[in-house]
Amino acid sequence: MISLSLALCISAFGSLCLGMPRHFEQTFQRKSPPLLLRALRGLGWLLLGLAILPAIKALGPSVGVALWASALTIAAAGQALLLTYQPRLIMPVSLLAPLLVLPLLAV
């Protein structure tokens, strides 16, 4: 459950990054429609809100919120590094992070 929270945070920050015109152009080398930017930002905020649920379910409300804050920090730092050095990897990492965690949850 903790890994799912981190994966959702990674995807959320990827969506929030791509929801900014400058970062979208940096990643895809083209302008984006304003509606797409708004949708990406909304998806990012939704995923951030959903990321707290697995942490609270696994460890309870007090420790879960602290874990979620730690996951936010790690995910934001990782996305910032990707944006700085490999902006084209933001979308694949954001899409694959939750998918890679799903097999761990089945065990």
Side-chain angles (χ1 to χ4, degrees), residues 28-89:
F28 297 111
Q29 279 81 40
R30 64 179 175 91
K31 295 233 183 232
S32 67
L35 186 60
L36 178 61
L37 294 177
R38 206 170 301 126
L40 284 169
R41 286 191 300 261
L43 176 65
W45 285 111
L46 176 68
L47 288 173
L48 280 179
L50 289 176
I52 198 170
L53 297 177
I56 289 176
K57 183 178 180 187
L59 299 168
S62 59
V63 178
V65 171
L67 176 87
W68 177 66
S70 301
L72 289 175
T73 304
I74 293 167
Q79 289 290 4
L81 287 172
L82 274 179
L83 192 60
T84 302
Y85 296 109
Q86 291 292 327
R88 290 184 162 237
L89 290 179

